[in-house]
Amino acid sequence: MKQLNAVPFLMPLILFVTGGLLGTLVAYDPEQSLPWMLTLTLGIILYLGIVTFLRNRLMSVAVGIGAWSVSYGVLLAVQYRHLGFHEKLGLSVWLGRLTSAPFPDVTPVFIDANAAASFLAPALPLIIGIALSVQGAQRRAWSVGAALAAFGVLLTSSRGAFVALIAAGLLWGLVRFQRYAQGSGARIPRSIWRSLVVASAAGIGLIALLVNLPATQDALASAALRAADRLAVYRNSFFLALDFPFSGIGPGAFGPMYSRFQLLILPTFISYAHNLFLGVWLAQGIVGLIGFAWLLIASFRRTVPALHTQTPLVQGAAIGCMVLLFHGLSDAPQYDTSWTTMLLAFGLFGIVAAALHQPVDISGSATRQPAPRRRVQVGITIAAVALVLIVSGPHLAAAGAVNYAAWLQSRAMLASDLAQEERTTLMHNAVTWINYGLRIAPASPLVQKRLGMLALDLGDYPRAINALERAQPWFAADQATCKALGMAYVWHGEPDRGARMLARLDQASEVREELTIWAHAWHERGRDDLAAYAQRAAEVMAEALR
C-alpha cells in the first residue's frame, strides 16, 4: 500500500492505460496495436521507476534522457542529406547539407521529420535545465548539447515544434519572472529588464524584416495551406471518433479506418490524427480520454503553483511536457511514427511528478472525516451525473449500439484472413445492432448515419438515402455523410442530384475521378446502368468544378 501511495497520479494513469488495453482489444486487427501497447507499457514502467526507486536520482535520469536526445540531434546533423526531409526552410536545407556532406548513409531505418521534431523539441528544455543546474565545464558541455538538439529541431523544419518551443519559452520566462517577483524584496534585477527590452526590440525588428521578404511570404502562404489541410484532418478525425464514441478504433488502426469510414476510399495516405486529444480518443476510447483529461487537470493543479520554486532541472522537465502538449495540438506522431516520443513523455513527466509529489500518510488520512462542504460538492456532482444519465440514457444506449455496429462493420471491411461468409455475417450482425439502436432512439443522427452507411455498402440505396437525409442536417460538415448521400443518389438513378452533393466536398476533383473509375468498374461487372449513372455524375461534376 505504501508503494502505491508513492505513485503520483495513479488513478488517472490507470484509466489511461485501461483505455489503451481496451483500444487494443477493439482494433480490427489487434496485432497492429501491439507495438504501440508495448511502448505504452515501457513508458509506464519508466514512470513508475522514476517516481519510486529513482526519485532521489533525478539528475541521473535527466542526464540519460539528455544524452539520448543530444545523440539524436547529432544523428540528424550528420545524416541530413540521406533522410529525405521535405525542403520547407532554405536555411535548414543549406545547413543540413553542409554538416552531413562528409558522412555516408549509415541510418538503418526511415526517420520522419515530424517524428524527429516531436522527440527533440520537448527534450530541449530539459537539456537547458541540466546546463543551468551544473557549473564549469559541465555547463559548457551541456550548453553545446542544447545547441545540437536545437539544431536538430531546426533541421526538421517542423513549424509545430517551432511554435511549441516559442510558447513554452515564454511560459518559462514567466515562471522565472514569478520566482524573482516572489523573492525577498520582490525586486527584479535590472539586467533582467535590460535583457527583456533588448530581446523584445530584436524580436520585433527581426519579424518586421522577415515579413517583407518574398521567401517569408511564400513560406507563410504555404503554412496557411498546410494549416487548412490539417484542420480538415482534425474535422474528419472528430467525425470518425463520433462513429466509435466509446471504444475508439484502437491504436495503429487510423490509416485504413480513416480512409474507409471517413473518406470512403480504399487507399491509405494518412496514418494518424495529428492532434493529441483526437489521437487519445481514437486509440484509447472514452476511457483513455477521460484518464488523459484527468491527468492533465491533476498535474496542472499540482505543478503550476509550485513550479517557480523548483530547480532549473525540474522546470526544464515541466516545460518539456508543455512543449509536448503545445506541439500535440498540431501533431502527435507518438500515436504512429514516433513511439519513442511516448517514452520521452513519461520520462519528463516522471521527473516532474517525483520532484513535486509528497506521499500522504494513508493511516492518518483514512480516519479524517470529509468536510461538510466537501460532502455537499460530492453529492451535487453525483446528482448531476445521475440526471444527465437519466435524461440522455436512450441516446447513450443508441450510441453504444452504433459503436458496436461500426466495429462489426470495420471487421467485415478490414480484418484479414476472413472468408466472405464471415464478412457477410459480420455485416448482417451490424445491421441487427443498428436496428437495436433505431428502436431505442430512432431520431438519433448517429443511428441514422450508421444505418445509411450500412445500407449503402449493402446496395440498399433507397434506405441509404432515407437514413442519410435524416442525418445530413446534423452532420453538414461531415465529409463521409455528404459523400455517402451523394453516392447513394448516383447509384439510385439521380446522378445530377448526386453530383451537386459531391461537388461540395473538399476533394471534389478527386471524387470526380473516382466516379470515372466507377464507370469502368460497373461496366466490367455487367452493371451498365450504374456505369452510365457514374459517367453522367462525373460529367456534371466536371462542369460544376470549372
Side-chain angles (χ1 to χ4, degrees), residues 125-168:
L126 177 68
I127 299 172
I128 295 173
I130 296 174
L132 294 175
S133 301
V134 295
Q135 299 293 330
Q138 292 186 15
R139 171 169 289 191
R140 290 190 291 272
W142 282 109
S143 298
V144 172
L148 291 172
F151 184 62
V153 176
L154 177 65
L155 293 180
T156 66
S157 300
S158 172
R159 291 176 284 249
F162 296 161
V163 172
L165 282 171
I166 292 172

Side-chain angles (χ1 to χ4, degrees), residues 316-360:
I319 297 301
C321 292
M322 294 305 302
V323 173
L324 272 165
L325 185 60
F326 289 147
H327 194 193
L329 298 177
S330 64
D331 207 359
Q334 57 265 48
Y335 277 84
D336 182 74
T337 56
S338 182
W339 294 327
T340 53
T341 303
M342 185 170 290
L343 294 178
L344 175 70
F346 278 109
L348 294 174
F349 188 55
I351 292 174
V352 178
L356 294 176
H357 179 68
Q358 295 297 328
V360 180

Side-chain angles (χ1 to χ4, degrees), residues 32 52 61 93 186 254 263 274 336 356 391 397 404 426 546:
Q32 294 185 358
T52 53
V61 175
V93 176
F254 182 84
L263 303 181
H274 290 272
D336 182 74
L356 294 176
V391 172
Y404 190 62
L426 285 170
R546 285 181 181 175

